Amino acid sequence: MVNNKEFRGLEDKINELKKKRKAVILVHNYQLPEVQDVADFRGDSLELSRIAAKTDAEVIVFCGVHFMAETASILSPDKKVLVPDILAGCPMANMMNVSDLRKLKKEHPKAVTVGYVNTSAEVKAELDYCCTSTNATAVVNYLKNEEEIIFVPDKYLADYVSKQTGRKLILWNGYCPTHIKILPEDIKREKKFHPFAKVMVHPECLSQVVALADVALSTSQMAKYAKENEATEFIVGTEVGLIYRLKQDNPNKEFYPASERAVCPNMKRTTQEKILWALEELKEEVKVPDDIRQRAKKAIDRMLEIV
Ligand code: 13P
Ligand code: SF4
């Protein structure tokens, strides 16, 4: 817990208003500690979309980035989905727009289209299947009878999935600007400092980084692995915000960031103050228009059916 009087005052106000608004606060694993502290649910992209789909709250305050709030709106159209900072976007999701995808589909008319959840709702509406880092391999394995598969927008996740499944995938040149800051030399250096540590990295990392790791996992899979593995030291190759949760869950274990440079500025835009404003003003609302929503939902539902 962040032990600061100012935050405690804000936390009390947030909790009070949250009840009045019948709101639930969903928080991604990369958020600031002060934001993680007021979460009703904290998790990875897949877990948070599942919770968004089944919560009976009237208001969802989504502390993450824009595509995550859109996914919540797609799954829960009758709820008010709020983001504390409307400018918190995902640069990777912005690397592909709907005309890019339509063009790629035209070039490969026989291909089935799989898209990472880190895409806009408009792009999701053009997909056959959605996936997250937790289930990307399972989704591609499920498509074993398909001749050609388009996988967008993350070329590094695609490379990881391709190696796991033995499938050649049609790619897009997208990537996460935060995860590519983790370099192979960072992993080599940390391994030298901590020779007994297990190395866990996110599949959004560079392929050479994934090759040096013991495991490539989504953020919540990392949380589970760290809890269940008997190792007591871990080198963490993902956005540094996850370390707060890892330390809270495992006070007797040590976690070393593979690189202190792996900070996602968009994930850090949300603060307790902004959460309070969102609850006070019921703003900013993220609402996906119905025609896009219905088409995008099909791709998400197909993913949820597979896994
Ligand atoms: P997960 O938490 O689903 O692994 O996602 C990582 C990420 O980069 C989200 O933007
Ligand atoms: Fe997007 Fe990367 Fe930030 Fe995740 S960490 S929100 S993929 S830029």
Side-chain angles (χ1 to χ4, degrees):
M1 281 282 195
V2 177
N3 198 7
N4 176 312
K5 246 188 180 172
E6 194 183 328
F7 284 140
R8 291 243 62 82
L10 273 174
E11 271 187 46
D12 291 344
K13 284 186 199 161
I14 288 169
N15 287 329
E16 208 175 287
L17 202 51
K18 194 176 69 179
K19 274 188 211 138
K20 205 167 127 194
R21 300 283 195 218
K22 297 195 173 62
V24 67
I25 301 180
L26 306 190
V27 173
H28 188 266
N29 287 322
Y30 293 156
Q31 291 286 298
L32 290 172
E34 62 174 80
V35 176
Q36 297 195 30
D37 284 349
V38 293
D40 290 303
F41 298 98
R42 176 170 60 172
D44 66 8
S45 313
L46 181 63
E47 290 171 332
L48 294 177
S49 43
R50 284 211 162 110
I51 290 159
K54 67 173 191 213
T55 177
D56 49 19
E58 288 173 15
V59 174
I60 296 174
V61 180
F62 213 115
C63 304
V65 289
H66 195 260
F67 75 81
M68 295 179 176
E70 278 190 333
T71 308
S73 165
I74 291 166
L75 293 167
S76 289
D78 302 331
K79 299 189 168 66
K80 204 182 248 303
V81 179
L82 303 176
V83 287
D85 189 318
I86 196 71
L87 296 178
C90 169
M92 183 210 283
N94 295 341
M95 286 176 193
M96 170 170 253
N97 64 33
V98 71
S99 33
D100 296 329
L101 181 55
R102 284 187 186 143
K103 191 163 170 273
L104 192 63
K105 282 168 72 171
K106 243 190 199 152
E107 286 163 11
H108 303 279
K110 281 199 289 183
V112 64
T113 313
V114 181
Y116 195 21
V117 68
N118 296 40
T119 43
S120 67
E122 262 194 311
V123 166
K124 284 191 184 76
E126 294 287 323
L127 299 173
D128 296 306
Y129 293 85
C130 186
C131 72
T132 71
S133 49
T134 306
N135 58 31
T137 300
V139 170
V140 170
N141 272 331
Y142 175 84
L143 301 172
K144 56 181 179 300
N145 296 328
E146 299 292 339
E147 241 173 73
E148 287 184 78
I149 304 174
I150 292 173
F151 190 103
V152 296
D154 185 359
K155 61 179 170 182
Y156 295 114
L157 178 64
D159 180 60
Y160 170 74
V161 172
S162 176
K163 284 179 177 137
Q164 293 293 305
T165 59
R167 292 295 306 259
K168 196 171 178 303
L169 302 170
I170 299 159
L171 309 183
W172 187 251
N173 192 20
Y175 58 88
C176 165
T178 297
H179 281 88
I180 64 158
K181 288 193 178 138
I182 303 169
L183 302 175
E185 43 271 40
D186 292 322
I187 305 288
K188 287 180 192 157
R189 182 196 59 241
E190 290 305 312
K191 271 179 148 181
K192 236 184 231 168
F193 285 149
H194 313 290
F196 301 110
K198 288 277 179 202
V199 182
M200 43 188 198
V201 303
H202 199 278
E204 287 174 18
C205 287
L206 297 172
S207 311
Q208 307 94 295
V209 166
V210 174
L212 291 169
D214 292 301
V215 281
L217 301 169
S218 78
T219 57
S220 287
Q221 285 175 329
M222 285 189 199
K224 188 166 183 279
Y225 180 81
K227 235 188 217 169
E228 291 172 1
N229 197 283
E230 56 191 26
T232 56
E233 293 179 282
F234 299 84
I235 295 162
V236 184
T238 194
E239 210 276 349
V240 296
L242 179 68
I243 297 208
Y244 179 67
R245 169 173 178 179
L246 294 173
K247 282 190 174 153
Q248 264 190 336
D249 289 355
N250 308 278
N252 298 322
K253 296 189 177 188
E254 296 296 333
F255 299 94
Y256 312 111
S259 168
E260 298 276 5
R261 283 154 40 88
V263 178
C264 175
N266 285 282
M267 284 285 183
K268 306 307 187 210
R269 292 189 72 94
T270 306
T271 59
Q272 285 196 350
E273 238 163 22
K274 291 181 190 173
I275 295 172
L276 186 61
W277 290 335
L279 284 165
E280 274 170 354
E281 307 289 332
L282 289 178
K283 276 191 197 159
E284 299 280 344
E285 185 171 7
V286 172
K287 187 140 186 81
V288 176
D290 214 47
D291 56 325
I292 295 175
R293 187 189 79 76
Q294 283 181 9
R295 289 186 290 130
K297 188 170 181 297
K298 279 187 193 149
I300 299 172
D301 285 344
R302 284 192 200 114
M303 163 185 85
L304 294 174
E305 274 161 29
I306 296 173
V307 287

